[in-house]
Amino acid sequence: MKEDNTPTVTARRREKSSKQRLRAQNAKTIPSVATRIERQKEREFRREEAKAEYEARQAREKAKSKGKGDEDSDQRQEVVGHANKLAVPKPSIGKHKKRQMNKSWLPTHLFHTKRAHMTPPKEPLWRFSIPLKPTQKDYRTAHRASTLRGCIAWDVSYTSTIGLEGDEAALLETFRVLGIEEQWLTGKKGMRWRAGARSFYGWIREAEVEHGWIAKVMIIWGPQVEDESKRSVLIRVQPAAFLQLWEELLRIKKEQKPQVVLDDLRFEMGSIDITGPASLEALVGILRPSALSSEGEMDVDNPAAQIWSKIAPITDSFALPSGAMLSLSVADPRLGAPHRKLEEPELTLTDATLELTSEWPGKQTCGIYPIFDREARLSASRRLPSQRSINRRKGEAPPGKHPVPLATDPRIPVLLLANNHDKKGCAQGSWTLLLSWKCVLPVWYSVMRYPLSGGGNPRFGGLNEQRQICFENNKPWFPGDFPGTKAGWQWEMQEREKRKRKWERKPKGRRIEFESVDMGNGRKGEIGRGWACDWERLFSPQS
């Protein structure tokens, strides 16, 4: 052994040096210290969040306790949450905190990062990390899923939501300044929309700017309560035009009396878009109306739940009236996993379903919209159980049976919106599921794993699939196809820079020389810039 210097001691038995002992000791203690600090920060954050919610609740109760005979009570504004202020995303607590310094993650970010191409880390889109396209080739499959069989879904929680609260006259005046037609505000055409039974989808503009169109928005009125004069409204707008709309609403608010209260709900409300013939089949298959009411009793006479059980055979949102919507509270979809296919009778188009599509109810389903109640949204987010507790309850249930509903189970408020406002030929309609931000992830996983009756599972798409489907349906995509708006022009300038950098990176022998392009009839050279849609040259006085 000594002659050929053969080692006789294994690494496990060799005596460690002082430096190795110190390193091993630090390796044991430092992770525990870091974990303890992270847990302490999380407890402090939750304590501050609970304190803010308690103070807001006390402010609301104090406002209600004051007498209604006070003449100034209608003029008084109770600031709750982020009233009239931009919302700040909640700080991320954990190992991914540094990755969200200049952007925010969607609720389904970890799902998409494993399966899709995302926006570059240092180049977020609309201050979000957004999936662009799946890693698999899916141009044809996306077309088939959106038109022929199956369905395709998107996490569009980056869509901005603004809440307005105030007197109905003040809200109508706000919409009048934004350029909404008078027939929607006071006429018979907008009667159901003002009652909260339909949604509005149309253009709004800046009042002080000629041709100052902002974007197309969806406006949803909250239900009207008999004893209260104030009403709530939700405005959903594409994030590229959010800041422009927010500043315009603030300007209008300052000129009004009584004023409306603005609330930035970007990080409180999430949404899922889904299109395809099997869209409602997937949603009805995973979302079950909550069996218990808010008081913990069995909720049997629920008109929205009765309608929900009949809409699975509907394959196109254009079969319903324009702007139809349905509000209800559903149970946690993880309690019903793995979900089974709907039975054949539930997918058969019957006379009752046809009658439902022709006479879509209005007042019966718009009595209470829990999605408008902040406390209902926060309660559903707080009560979401962990996956471990759900697995324990499913293990205690009898074989083939779902867990028994408990009074502590969350009642997730959702609002189903039919995107059927603009009919273009044979285009397939789509649906939007509006729900709380933290409840998006469990619903998303359930949608992706649902077994469709036609085979396979629902697909997911990115930003490129949205543009593809809009192109196939002969519809413009905002903001890329609207360079006349501020958001569309910013998009055009960003795309110009990208195309120019890509052109400059190519060697001269492999890139197109626009100055030497043969234009025919003896003309030579590209008109304008080759990497841009040269709108300035087209509309310049010299052209």
Side-chain angles (χ1 to χ4, degrees):
M1 299 289 182
K2 295 182 180 180
E3 295 176 356
D4 56 357
N5 199 20
T6 303
T8 59
V9 182
T10 61
R12 182 170 57 87
R13 296 175 182 173
R14 183 180 288 114
E15 185 179 356
K16 295 181 179 180
S17 64
S18 59
K19 189 174 183 179
Q20 289 176 336
R21 286 195 300 270
L22 182 61
R23 185 179 297 175
Q25 183 180 0
N26 291 338
K28 291 181 180 179
T29 57
I30 290 177
S32 61
V33 172
T35 304
R36 197 183 315 130
I37 293 174
E38 290 294 335
R39 290 178 179 175
Q40 184 178 358
K41 289 182 180 179
E42 187 175 356
R43 284 195 297 268
E44 291 177 357
F45 174 74
R46 290 180 178 176
R47 195 179 298 115
E48 292 177 359
E49 187 180 20
K51 182 179 179 181
E53 294 174 0
Y54 174 77
E55 292 177 354
R57 188 163 55 251
Q58 291 293 331
R60 286 193 295 270
E61 292 177 357
K62 184 178 179 180
K64 291 181 181 179
S65 62
K66 290 187 177 181
K68 295 184 179 180
D70 187 5
E71 296 180 357
D72 298 331
S73 61
D74 294 337
Q75 305 291 336
R76 188 166 49 245
Q77 299 286 339
E78 293 292 342
V79 179
V80 179
H82 301 284
N84 304 325
K85 295 182 181 179
L86 291 174
V88 179
K90 295 182 179 179
S92 176
I93 300 176
K95 60 181 180 180
H96 302 306
K97 181 178 181 179
K98 292 184 179 180
R99 303 185 188 181
Q100 303 181 54
M101 298 295 289
N102 61 340
K103 60 183 179 295
S104 299
W105 284 0
L106 298 178
T108 60
H109 178 81
L110 295 180
F111 174 90
H112 284 101
T113 50
K114 301 176 182 179
R115 302 169 178 86
H117 296 285
M118 309 293 291
T119 53
K122 294 185 179 181
E123 298 178 10
L125 188 60
W126 308 313
R127 303 188 71 177
F128 283 97
S129 181
I130 297 177
L132 299 177
K133 61 178 180 179
T135 53
Q136 298 179 345
K137 293 182 179 180
D138 70 332
Y139 192 92
R140 296 183 179 182
T141 51
H143 168 75
R144 296 191 190 109
S146 63
T147 55
L148 300 177
R149 59 182 177 274
C151 59
I152 181 170
W154 296 268
D155 180 10
V156 291
S157 299
Y158 53 83
T159 304
S160 304
T161 305
I162 302 175
L164 276 71
E165 185 177 356
D167 294 338
E168 184 173 357
L171 293 173
L172 291 175
E173 183 61 27
T174 301
F175 296 146
R176 186 176 289 108
V177 176
L178 289 175
I180 298 179
E181 298 177 357
E182 193 66 27
Q183 56 183 348
W184 285 97
L185 302 177
T186 57
K188 187 177 180 181
K189 184 177 182 179
M191 183 173 57
R192 292 189 175 182
W193 170 58
R194 297 190 301 271
R198 298 288 186 270
S199 62
F200 168 83
Y201 185 71
W203 282 95
I204 58 173
R205 59 178 175 82
E206 292 181 326
E208 298 181 352
V209 180
E210 186 179 2
H211 306 296
W213 298 104
I214 300 176
K216 269 192 170 183
V217 299
M218 181 175 287
I219 303 176
I220 308 162
W221 282 86
Q224 188 171 10
V225 183
E226 296 180 357
D227 299 337
E228 298 182 4
S229 60
K230 293 186 177 181
R231 297 191 63 182
S232 301
V233 176
L234 293 180
I235 303 179
R236 289 179 53 79
V237 62
Q238 221 273 348
F242 164 76
L243 189 59
Q244 185 182 7
L245 175 59
W246 179 265
E247 293 176 350
E248 181 67 14
L249 288 173
L250 285 178
R251 188 192 63 79
I252 297 173
K253 166 187 171 297
K254 293 177 182 178
E255 298 176 355
Q256 284 185 341
K257 193 173 182 181
Q259 296 181 354
V260 298
V261 179
L262 305 182
D263 200 359
D264 184 4
L265 304 175
R266 283 180 296 174
F267 302 103
E268 289 189 31
M269 286 192 180
S271 56
I272 296 174
D273 275 4
I274 185 168
T275 184
S279 301
L280 284 185
E281 177 192 348
L283 293 179
V284 174
I286 65 166
L287 298 179
R288 300 292 181 182
S290 181
L292 299 177
S293 63
S294 57
E295 291 79 13
E297 301 177 355
M298 293 300 295
D299 193 2
V300 181
D301 300 329
N302 188 353
Q306 298 173 3
I307 296 172
W308 183 258
S309 61
K310 299 178 183 178
I311 62 176
I314 301 175
T315 59
D316 193 354
S317 63
F318 284 106
L320 300 181
S322 178
M325 55 186 187
L326 183 63
S327 174
L328 70 161
S329 296
V330 298
D332 192 339
R334 295 175 295 175
L335 294 173
H339 299 280
R340 304 184 184 93
K341 295 181 183 179
L342 294 179
E343 301 294 336
E344 189 65 28
E346 296 179 281
L347 298 175
T348 304
L349 194 62
T350 60
D351 294 339
T353 306
L354 295 175
E355 183 179 355
L356 179 66
T357 57
S358 61
E359 300 178 359
W360 184 261
K363 295 183 179 180
Q364 295 88 339
T365 59
C366 66
I368 297 177
Y369 281 179
I371 194 69
F372 281 84
D373 188 1
R374 184 190 294 271
E375 294 184 1
R377 298 195 304 266
L378 294 177
S379 175
S381 301
R382 290 194 220 100
R383 289 189 175 189
L384 279 177
S386 63
Q387 189 63 44
R388 180 179 296 180
S389 63
I390 289 178
N391 294 340
R392 184 178 66 252
R393 289 177 58 184
K394 290 167 69 175
E396 296 173 353
K401 300 293 183 181
H402 296 309
V404 179
L406 303 177
T408 56
D409 288 342
R411 302 181 75 250
I412 303 175
V414 299
L415 182 62
L416 181 66
L417 304 169
N419 300 324
N420 55 359
H421 302 85
D422 299 328
K423 179 68 173 176
K424 292 282 186 180
C426 299
Q428 179 82 20
S430 62
W431 310 85
T432 297
L433 189 70
L434 192 63
L435 67 168
S436 180
W437 180 275
K438 291 186 178 180
C439 300
V440 171
L441 187 59
V443 174
W444 176 264
Y445 272 110
S446 300
V447 170
M448 291 293 104
R449 295 168 180 170
Y450 179 75
L452 298 173
S453 61
N457 304 95
R459 302 188 62 85
F460 75 93
L463 204 66
N464 291 0
E465 281 69 32
Q466 286 186 355
R467 303 182 68 175
Q468 170 195 340
I469 292 175
C470 287
F471 176 74
E472 292 175 350
N473 293 338
N474 197 21
K475 291 183 178 179
W477 177 78
F478 189 89
D481 296 329
F482 294 92
T485 62
K486 184 178 179 180
W489 186 249
Q490 292 176 353
W491 177 271
E492 169 61 22
M493 298 304 291
Q494 294 174 2
E495 292 299 308
R496 286 184 186 183
E497 292 297 327
K498 291 180 182 178
R499 288 191 289 262
K500 184 179 180 180
R501 288 197 301 264
K502 184 178 180 181
W503 180 79
E504 290 176 345
R505 282 198 304 265
K506 291 184 179 181
K508 288 188 176 182
R510 292 184 176 272
R511 69 188 183 189
I512 300 175
E513 292 296 336
F514 296 108
E515 296 179 357
S516 59
V517 174
D518 186 8
M519 303 296 293
N521 295 331
R523 296 178 299 174
K524 202 171 186 180
E526 180 73 32
I527 300 175
R529 287 161 288 187
W531 52 77
C533 280
D534 218 336
W535 296 102
E536 299 97 328
R537 185 181 182 89
L538 182 62
F539 291 103
S540 62
Q542 298 178 359
S543 63

